[in-house]
Amino acid sequence: MTKTPLYDRVTLIGLGLIGSSLGHAMRRAGVAGEIIGADRDEAVCKKAVELGFVDRAETDAAKAVADADLVVLCTPVGTFDALAKEIAGALKPGATLSDVGSVKLSALKAMAAHAPEGVHLIPAHPVAGTENSGPEAGFAELFEGRWTILTPPDGADAAATEKLKSFWEALGSKVEVMEAEHHDLVLAITSHIPHLIAYNIVGTAADLETVTESEVIKYSAGGFRDFTRIAASNPDMWRDIFLANKDAVLEMLGRFSEDLSSLQRAIRWEDGDALHKLFTRTREIRRQVIEAGQDE
Amino acid sequence: MTKTPLYDRVTLIGLGLIGSSLGHAMRRAGVAGEIIGADRDEAVCKKAVELGFVDRAETDAAKAVADADLVVLCTPVGTFDALAKEIAGALKPGATLSDVGSVKLSALKAMAAHAPEGVHLIPAHPVAGTENSGPEAGFAELFEGRWTILTPPDGADAAATEKLKSFWEALGSKVEVMEAEHHDLVLAITSHIPHLIAYNIVGTAADLETVTESEVIKYSAGGFRDFTRIAASNPDMWRDIFLANKDAVLEMLGRFSEDLSSLQRAIRWEDGDALHKLFTRTREIRRQVIEAGQDE
Ligand SMILES: NC(=O)c1ccc[n+]([C@@H]2O[C@H](COP(=O)([O-])OP(=O)(O)OC[C@H]3O[C@@H](n4cnc5c(N)ncnc54)[C@H](OP(=O)(O)O)[C@@H]3O)[C@@H](O)[C@H]2O)c1
Ligand SMILES: NC(=O)c1ccc[n+]([C@@H]2O[C@H](COP(=O)([O-])OP(=O)(O)OC[C@H]3O[C@@H](n4cnc5c(N)ncnc54)[C@H](OP(=O)(O)O)[C@@H]3O)[C@@H](O)[C@H]2O)c1
């Protein structure tokens, strides 16, 4: 690459789906002079070097962040507090500490609790993913055409935020800046509740006595199979998300359940018009999702 | 085609996604000597002939079934009663009257109320579909590797059932025979509830005051977009399904809501283990769906 890298050294902590995708995408875009990986699992570190999305990798996160200009936490959000504590002392003054966690207020709090003065804290969340995990699941195109949300705290350094914005844009992402709290509300409805109800219906189906598991699987092409895909997502990551975004999730879940009760009532009282009206409105939203290029 | 057709004349009533797919698939398999279409809409009849998946088509269903050996209702299940009444007098003795409706007990009852003695009543449901509608949405491969469920009533003619089974197998489908009532229970959980909750969450998201519709669409890649696809399905068809399968849907919905309350409680009380346990179990179901070839 002949481009001037945006950051001379970037350290990725956690080399799963998102960490490996970031590595591949950074390589392709030429935005990092050097990419260092950290993973608690020695075998994953080796694999990452072998796959070529990091230059080197090690199990000691504090060592890995030495002299890095940008450090990105790519582990489940429940690990951020301990990780931030572990690396805090090793961070270079003027470095940017960021993450890719799916919940932002808790991420910000966890990092802010430990990051030393002079380190720029800019949480980020690429709204892109698949149901796969691990260092082999990543690919450079994951962020293309998707949105990445930055949630810098009040008083964050404007230049550092701009630079991180350029970084994500170089990876093909569109970037939006918003408050961490608002992010968590938006993602509760566009991501966390969809996952929760997918996990839930797959569980409900597995528990039936009147319908066998083999029937559920055979006839899954009627709609159920799409939910099984979502419900195959990483259990650690999703447990952490629901715990970290408890308030927003419970708020949205309350609304979902209220609306579902009203649909239930429409079915019980055979109110076909009410059903038809909802089913027509939802089509319009689909049209807009496609128009916005968010389902290709 | 040099193959001997299974039925000399087949009439398809309703030329939307399923009707047109059936036409294309029958052509490819050479299982029908002649394919007659019927649709209330003159323009759709013309389109069907133009696309070539029927030999001729007309708006008068009673005329279209004259001399047919197999008649398949391919309209929403709420129309079956009126349609069966309309065509009953024109059915050829010894003909098979079938359908593709997504609910089977109500379909059986509607057809049985009108079909004359000597006509074989064998309801069927191909568990295959897309969210698209109309005569241009169909394709010959829709049924390949999917299951079709036949629900012949007690005392149905065994030879007629066998023949219809061979017909669906010739279209690439796997065939299972079960009671209509059991079908409705199985499909309630594998298809009807998934659609209901997809419609519901898209509606909930559209109604929020704290999150804008444009945000919901922008960040839909986090899971929500998959639900919008399902919630774009035909409103007439789905209204009819929920009304026709009311009891089984309400039964399954009750279980779904019970389980969701328990998940809600786990989040409120931060019971990470309970969440993790469910999220791990559901992964296993996904593995089986893939192994069964139901998601390609
Ligand atoms: N998947 C998505 O769709 C998606 C989308 C946007 C954002 N995110 C966010 O991205 C982050 C990573 O998710 P992912 O999909 O990349 O998951 P992943 O493929 O499962 O990778 C998780 C990584 O975190 C490490 N890890 C897990 N538990 C740990 C612990 N207790 N201590 C230290 N390291 C630990 C794993 O180490 P091992 O190698 O030892 O397993 C692995 O490197 C999460 O915060 C998630 O919320 C995910
Ligand atoms: N879509 C799926 O995924 C799927 C899967 C399995 C089974 N099914 C079942 O297949 C059947 C047809 O669904 P589809 O997906 O093919 O729907 P579609 O593409 O919307 O086609 C519906 C057809 O029914 C006709 N129709 C609608 N309302 C009618 C009425 N009141 N009177 C007479 N004709 C009417 C339509 O006529 P116009 O041409 O005038 O609109 C059209 O020909 C339904 O019973 C459904 O439950 C659907």
Side-chain angles (χ1 to χ4, degrees), chain B residues 56-77:
Chain B
R56 60 180 171 82
E58 56 184 307
T59 54
D60 185 332
K63 275 195 196 153
V65 304
D67 211 33
D69 304 288
L70 171 65
V71 173
V72 189
L73 307 184
C74 306
T75 53
V77 292

Side-chain angles (χ1 to χ4, degrees), chain A residues 127 131 133 146-147 149 176 178 182 185-186 189-191 193-211 213 215-236 238-239 242-243 246 249-250 252-253 255-257 259-260 263-264 267-268 270-272 275-276 278-283 285-286 288-289 292 294-295, chain B residues 127 131 133 146-147 149 176 178 182 185-186 189-191 193-211 213 215-236 238-239 242-243 246 249-250 252-253 255-257 259-260 263-264 267-268 270-272 275-276 278-283 285-286 288-289 292 294-295:
Chain A
V127 185
E131 70 280 17
S133 304
R146 301 284 164 255
W147 288 89
I149 301 175
E176 186 79 86
M178 64 175 74
H182 187 62
L185 214 50
V186 173
I189 192 72
T190 58
S191 178
I193 297 293
H195 277 79
L196 194 70
I197 62 184
Y199 280 123
N200 191 64
I201 194 177
V202 177
T204 302
D207 285 345
L208 297 173
E209 316 87 28
T210 47
V211 176
E213 205 165 290
E215 287 177 317
V216 165
I217 286 153
K218 271 163 90 170
Y219 308 119
S220 61
F224 185 72
R225 67 171 173 204
D226 296 323
F227 290 73
T228 65
R229 179 163 8 84
I230 300 175
S233 301
N234 188 322
D236 293 357
W238 282 98
R239 174 204 53 212
F242 292 117
L243 299 180
K246 172 175 147 175
V249 165
L250 289 177
M252 294 299 174
L253 192 52
R255 287 168 181 264
F256 173 86
S257 297
D259 292 347
L260 193 60
L263 265 185
Q264 185 170 6
I267 294 172
R268 194 178 300 284
E270 300 180 8
D271 184 350
L275 298 176
H276 198 273
L278 172 66
F279 301 171
T280 308
R281 275 177 62 208
T282 52
R283 265 194 152 171
I285 306 271
R286 173 65 182 170
Q288 294 180 48
V289 166
Q294 292 306 305
D295 200 1
Chain B
V127 185
E131 69 280 18
S133 303
R146 301 285 165 254
W147 288 89
I149 301 174
E176 187 79 84
M178 63 174 75
H182 187 62
L185 214 51
V186 174
I189 192 72
T190 58
S191 178
I193 296 295
H195 277 79
L196 194 72
I197 62 185
Y199 280 122
N200 191 65
I201 194 175
V202 177
T204 302
D207 285 345
L208 297 172
E209 316 87 29
T210 46
V211 177
E213 205 166 290
E215 287 177 317
V216 165
I217 286 155
K218 272 162 90 168
Y219 308 119
S220 60
F224 185 71
R225 66 171 174 206
D226 296 324
F227 290 72
T228 65
R229 179 163 7 87
I230 299 176
S233 300
N234 189 321
D236 293 357
W238 281 97
R239 173 203 52 211
F242 292 117
L243 299 180
K246 173 176 148 175
V249 166
L250 290 177
M252 293 300 173
L253 192 52
R255 286 167 182 263
F256 173 85
S257 297
D259 292 347
L260 193 60
L263 265 185
Q264 184 171 5
I267 294 172
R268 193 176 303 282
E270 301 180 7
D271 184 351
L275 298 175
H276 198 274
L278 172 66
F279 301 171
T280 308
R281 274 178 62 208
T282 53
R283 265 194 149 170
I285 306 272
R286 173 65 182 169
Q288 293 180 46
V289 166
Q294 292 305 306
D295 202 359

Side-chain angles (χ1 to χ4, degrees), chain B residues 14-18 39-41 44 74-77 79-80 100-102 125-126 128-130 133-134 234 237 241:
Chain B
L15 303 174
L17 168 70
I18 303 294
D39 200 286
R40 58 177 179 178
D41 186 340
V44 171
C74 306
T75 53
V77 292
T79 66
F80 287 2
V100 294
S102 308
H125 175 209
T130 75
S133 303
N234 189 321
M237 164 181 160
I241 289 175

